[in-house]
Amino acid sequence: MRTFFLSMAGAFVAMILFVILGFFMLMGLIFSAASAKPPSPDNVVLSLDLNYAIPDQAPLGGFAAFANTPGFTDILLRLKAAETDDAIKGIYLRGSFSGIGTSRAEELRTAFESFKGSGKFIVAHTQGMFGYGGPSAYHSISSAEEIWMQPGADFAINGVTFETEFVKGLFEKIGLTPQIYAFYEYKNAPNSYNETAFTEPHREALTSLATSLWDTALTDMAADRGLKVADLKALLESGPQTAEEALEAKLVDKLGWPEDAEDAVLERAGEDAELVDLFAYTPPPSKAKAKDGIIAIVGGEGAVVTGGGDSDSPFGDAPGFASDTIARAILDAAEDEDVKAIVFRVDSPGGSPTASDQIWRAVERAQEKGKPVVVSMGSLAASGGYYVSAGADAIIANKATITGSIGIFGGKFAVDGTFNKIGITFDTVSVGGEFANAYGVAPFNQAQEAEVREQLKRGYDRFVGLVAEGRGKTFEQVHEIARGRVWSGAQAKDNGLVDEIGGFMTAVAKAKELGKIDADVEPMLVFYPHRKSGFEALEDLFGVSTETVRAAAVLSALAGDDRTQALIEELKVADAINSGEALAMGPRIRER
């Protein structure tokens, strides 16, 4: 027993020390960030490491928001701003080992081409490409003027592969009955449960999509390297190349180590040149004025879900495509008299039809207030991601964007057979009609299955009807290209599901046109919902007011960090006591 109490006491002390040390480290970061100034040298080469995974849009909550973590769209905006920044001489890229996705590679390539058009250089270095991520590892850097490769590394660029797991055999062994119904034959998500291999429509759609993505990448890469598409295709499909073979084939320009490429880049930029991470780069202040016109930027990323998607966890972000949040952002933008148009960035595999419907209606309300809406599709805007886009005044997608999947599926897993195998049985008492126990553990009866199918059919018909209305087509025309099938952006453009091929910056330009902002005027871009500053994110995380922390930053300069941290600690504890959380913080131990 004595050992037990000693162990408990030790764990408790360790927890206290962890909380105290963690808190003081966080406060140190806060005041370092508050007092630090972004680098502003006169001779800069921006660096961008493509090995880091980043979200499509900047996080709205959690520690990521406090740290002002940028999203992919922010990178595009910073690259655009750097074109007219005299301090920026070029960009140094670190190539990805495994790829960043064909659509992102395509959109980055467009941004790099624009950057080079401003008279600035781009140099890339790769330490090798593993091949299992498709063509995007090379596609994302192929437009660089000069590509370095590390000696001894492999150059492996494969085609596009889709691999799907099928669990029907497992379900049969454990007695689980999937009752998942799809509208229609190309809506392939339920096939994982209902089949043991690809159906013919499933295989047809994925083969067509993979071919389109591969062709897009090959065309771009061949143009960048001055090669014929057929020659590049044969070369890449022949298997991995050594660094020396890649150099001989003109896939890269030089062999060398990262530090060699970095030194060469700085030498090219000129005397006293500095390398600045693009994530840390602060562009010069924009000259745009609200009175000249605002373009509102609303972003949705991830699964479309109902509600606000609020999260109390400081370690994660709330869902980025929560219907209340996104719909409110669109409606708030529409209410602003200075907003002339809205760019709605969509990066989503789909989700709730109810949530998608709510967001679709918000887009319609914005249009009723005279605000044109332009959708910019990211890597993926399928199913619910297309649903929320269908009513926009213009839809912009990359050639490699995965979109479409205009369809619906639903049902349940009947698990009574699984439990029966281990001796668990069920009995039911149900009142309220035939459908009252439809979603219990037992399979649907015939009447229930018919009702579920009819419900799904109504959802599909509404989806197709909204697309037809938004795209100026008949129901039959949309049904022919819908049926749950996925398309590349290039294919969607041919089918009339997309208006124009391009990325986020293309959508901004389109919004400027539709919003009737003068061609020679630089529009102000404003994000909805409001992006929290570091201090505002801190308030959300710890309940400390923005004013308190700003005052604390001033006190830091006057009284020293230790006193300021003590003050903030006391305020934090007081807030915790008021909210009933004091016991979670442990005793306040501070050494003088």
Side-chain angles (χ1 to χ4, degrees), residues 31 41 59 84 154 170 230 272 280 314 326 349 391 398 430 432 447-448 470 485 508 517 580 592:
F31 290 112
T84 55
D154 283 338
L170 171 64
D272 297 326
I326 300 301
N398 298 303
S430 179
Q448 290 168 342
R485 180 164 179 168
V508 170
I517 299 174
R592 289 284 185 187

Side-chain angles (χ1 to χ4, degrees), residues 222-395:
D224 292 338
R225 302 305 296 173
L227 301 171
K228 293 181 179 179
V229 173
D231 292 343
L232 179 63
K233 183 174 185 287
L235 181 63
L236 297 182
E237 291 184 357
S238 67
Q241 317 283 319
T242 66
E244 290 73 17
E245 289 171 337
L247 178 65
E248 184 179 352
K250 299 183 179 179
L251 297 173
V252 299
D253 301 293
K254 292 183 179 180
L255 300 185
W257 303 92
E259 57 271 25
D260 298 329
E262 186 175 315
D263 289 343
V265 164
L266 292 175
E267 182 179 352
R268 179 170 177 174
E271 189 175 356
D272 297 326
E274 294 186 33
L275 208 61
V276 173
D277 195 307
L278 184 63
F279 286 4
Y281 169 60
T282 302
S286 171
K287 297 178 181 178
K289 297 180 177 61
K291 65 180 180 62
D292 294 330
I294 290 175
I295 293 177
I297 309 296
V298 178
E301 180 176 9
V304 184
V305 297
T306 55
D310 294 328
S311 173
D312 294 328
S313 171
F315 301 100
D317 192 16
F321 224 130
S323 61
D324 284 358
T325 301
I326 300 301
R328 175 45 53 194
I330 293 170
L331 295 174
D332 286 347
E335 292 289 343
D336 190 331
E337 293 182 357
D338 290 327
V339 170
K340 305 302 181 186
I342 299 170
V343 171
F344 184 16
R345 175 75 170 191
V346 176
D347 197 289
S348 172
S352 163
T354 302
S356 301
D357 220 14
Q358 180 184 355
I359 297 169
W360 168 85
R361 176 58 179 145
V363 170
E364 188 176 62
R365 287 184 186 276
Q367 293 167 324
E368 290 169 358
K369 290 184 175 293
K371 308 298 170 79
V373 179
V374 178
V375 163
S376 168
M377 292 182 167
S379 299
L380 186 66
S383 196
Y386 192 86
Y387 196 124
V388 301
S389 307
D393 294 275
I395 299 177

Side-chain angles (χ1 to χ4, degrees), residues 66-152:
F66 166 64
N68 290 320
T69 303
F72 182 70
T73 52
D74 297 288
I75 287 178
L76 300 175
L77 289 170
R78 292 182 191 189
L79 287 172
K80 191 66 179 176
E83 293 179 12
T84 55
D85 186 346
D86 293 337
I88 306 301
K89 310 303 179 186
I91 298 174
Y92 173 50
L93 299 175
R94 296 295 301 274
S96 168
F97 291 118
S98 59
I100 63 172
T102 301
S103 179
R104 277 199 175 182
E106 178 190 351
E107 196 160 4
L108 266 183
R109 177 181 179 272
T110 301
F112 292 153
E113 289 294 294
S114 179
F115 184 86
K116 288 193 300 182
S118 68
K120 304 181 180 188
F121 67 82
I122 301 180
V123 173
H125 183 279
T126 175
Q127 291 182 276
M129 299 177 187
F130 295 156
Y132 55 76
S136 62
Y138 188 57
H139 192 188
S140 58
I141 64 171
S142 61
S143 63
E145 297 173 35
E146 190 174 276
I147 301 177
W148 291 58
M149 185 171 181
Q150 183 166 305

Side-chain angles (χ1 to χ4, degrees), residues 153-227:
D154 283 338
F155 186 101
I157 297 298
N158 296 345
V160 178
T161 299
F162 296 120
E163 192 171 66
T164 303
E165 74 284 351
F166 297 91
V167 295
K168 180 182 179 181
L170 171 64
F171 286 174
E172 288 176 346
K173 288 184 177 181
I174 64 174
L176 188 149
T177 304
Q179 292 185 296
I180 311 294
Y181 313 117
F183 286 82
Y184 280 89
E185 71 273 22
Y186 290 103
K187 194 68 176 177
N188 52 47
N191 289 349
S192 291
Y193 318 123
N194 297 332
E195 307 290 342
T196 57
F198 289 127
T199 63
E200 282 307 309
H202 194 169
R203 184 178 298 278
E204 174 195 349
L206 291 187
T207 301
S208 175
L209 177 63
T211 301
S212 181
L213 300 184
W214 184 224
D215 288 346
T216 292
L218 285 171
T219 300
D220 286 348
M221 295 184 299
D224 292 338
R225 302 305 296 173
L227 301 171

